[in-house]
Structure formats: C-alpha cells, structure tokens
Amino acid sequence: MSDSVLASVTVPSLRAARAARDRLSRAGFARNSVEIDRLDDDAFAVSIATRPDNHDRAERILTGSPLGNDLREAGQAAARHLQDNRSLALGLAALAGFALFGLMRRD
C-alpha cells in the first residue's frame, strides 16, 4: 500500500494485543496485516497499515473496550458449553419455565 496510514495502539499485555487483533479481523480487516510488537515487558504495540478513509474506523476498533471483548468471549464460551451439553441446556430451560410459571401464578 503506497498511500496507507498507520493506526496503532499500545496495550499492557499480549492478551490485550491479541484481543485488539481479533476485533480488527472481525471488523473485516485482514488478520495477517495486523502487527504485534513487544515494546518492553509490560507493553505491546498493535498496528495496522490501512487506507486513509479507513484510518478512523481502525483507530476506534483498536481503542475499543476490552471489557466488551471479554464479555463476548464469555458469551461464546457459554454458548459452546450449552451446545455441547444438550441435557444441561434442556434442564436450565425447564427450570426457567417453572420459575416463570411460579411467578405468573402468584395472586
């Protein structure tokens, strides 16, 4: 890319750097174009070369909330766990149904 600009952010851990790379790839940026460089023991730089019209979007994604990413990962792990354990999912659904029925029958 001859007319590209660099969007980058410094994060405190390798886990946070990988999360930023994953956010970029989910947003449609090429995963192999994201660079993760170690600055020192406590910092990593995540950068991507992109077109000028995508620079602001890439900066927003890079500085996105790690809490949102953690919640998304936890939700995906829970969904995988429930898909692997159909009987557990059925039991939880039945328990929720009984709880709702009990709440609705209160007079």
Side-chain angles (χ1 to χ4, degrees), residues 25 49 92:
S25 67
L92 288 174

Side-chain angles (χ1 to χ4, degrees), residues 19-96:
R21 180 186 60 201
D22 292 342
R23 285 194 306 270
L24 283 168
S25 67
R26 276 195 307 273
F29 290 95
R31 185 179 181 92
N32 61 352
S33 65
V34 179
E35 297 289 328
I36 298 176
D37 298 314
R38 174 178 235 135
L39 300 177
D40 56 24
D41 288 340
D42 296 333
F44 291 84
V46 181
S47 59
I48 183 170
T50 184
R51 294 189 316 247
D53 53 334
N54 284 334
H55 180 263
D56 291 336
R57 186 170 77 105
E59 285 284 337
R60 269 195 321 274
I61 293 167
L62 282 173
T63 58
S65 170
L67 175 63
N69 191 50
D70 289 345
L71 290 174
R72 183 180 306 108
E73 287 177 5
Q76 290 171 347
R80 280 192 306 271
H81 186 68
L82 285 176
Q83 286 175 351
D84 292 342
N85 298 310
R86 297 276 181 180
S87 59
L88 176 63
L90 185 60
L92 288 174
L95 184 62

